[in-house]
């Protein structure tokens, strides 16, 4: 099983980035894919999640309206389009795979996810 994040980098406040999570080794259509982030000295937190089964999406309040999650089931890849970036969005971003159906209660729970990528750094300068 592999999840490989890409697309991170350095951007000015107000700018945009698109992260990709390329997956392999499991049945993509049966999983929910979540994006998490971890800033220095802080706990890892849920950013967004998409169910590959039905396309349901979930967002943290802090990114609602600025970030958009999407998936390309033919490519087994999930994207996170991040617009209007703020310095507080600076973190290492991880994608993860949850074998269960995603829902609004549990999508942020780290223990629900079986597989994790290595992360990609996003730095937003002020």
């Amino acid at each position: 099983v592999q999840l490989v994040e890409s697309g991170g980098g350095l951007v000015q406040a107000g700018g945009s980035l698109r992260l990709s999570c390329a997956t392999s080794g499991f049945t993509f259509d049966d999983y929910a894919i979540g994006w998490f982030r971890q800033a220095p000295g802080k706990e890892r937190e849920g950013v967004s999640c998409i169910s590959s089964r039905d396309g349901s999406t979930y967002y943290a309040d802090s990114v609602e309206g600025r970030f958009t999650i999407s998936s390309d089931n033919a490519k087994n890849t999930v994207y996170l389009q991040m617009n209007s970036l703020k310095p507080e969005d600076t973190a290492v971003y991880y994608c993860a795979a949850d074998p269960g159906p995603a829902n609004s209660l549990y999508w942020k729970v780290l223990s629900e996810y079986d597989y994790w990528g290595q992360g990609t750094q996003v730095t937003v300068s002020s």
Side-chain angles (χ1 to χ4, degrees):
V1 173
Q2 277 195 318
L3 292 89
V4 180
E5 303 94 338
S6 62
L10 173 64
V11 65
Q12 288 187 333
S16 299
L17 285 174
R18 188 176 83 153
L19 305 184
S20 299
C21 173
T23 75
S24 62
F26 60 93
T27 305
F28 184 82
D29 291 354
D30 290 342
Y31 280 69
I33 304 297
W35 282 100
F36 292 78
R37 66 186 182 187
Q38 188 166 18
K42 295 188 177 181
E43 294 186 352
R44 194 169 298 189
E45 63 175 1
V47 175
S48 184
C49 177
I50 186 166
S51 170
S52 300
R53 294 179 183 179
D54 61 10
S56 299
T57 58
Y58 307 90
Y59 296 95
D61 290 345
S62 59
V63 307
E64 182 85 51
R66 300 188 297 123
F67 291 10
T68 302
I69 193 169
S70 62
S71 68
D72 185 335
N73 288 31
K75 295 182 178 180
N76 293 348
T77 299
V78 171
Y79 305 98
L80 185 68
Q81 178 66 44
M82 305 187 297
N83 298 331
S84 302
L85 283 162
K86 304 175 181 180
E88 51 263 44
D89 294 318
T90 294
V92 177
Y93 283 70
Y94 301 89
C95 62
D98 173 6
N103 62 62
S104 60
L105 291 177
Y106 295 108
W107 75 266
K108 292 183 181 180
V109 177
L110 275 66
S111 60
E112 293 289 307
Y113 293 81
D114 286 356
Y115 310 118
W116 290 81
Q118 292 301 304
T120 185
Q121 176 71 46
V122 171
T123 303
V124 184
S125 63
S126 57

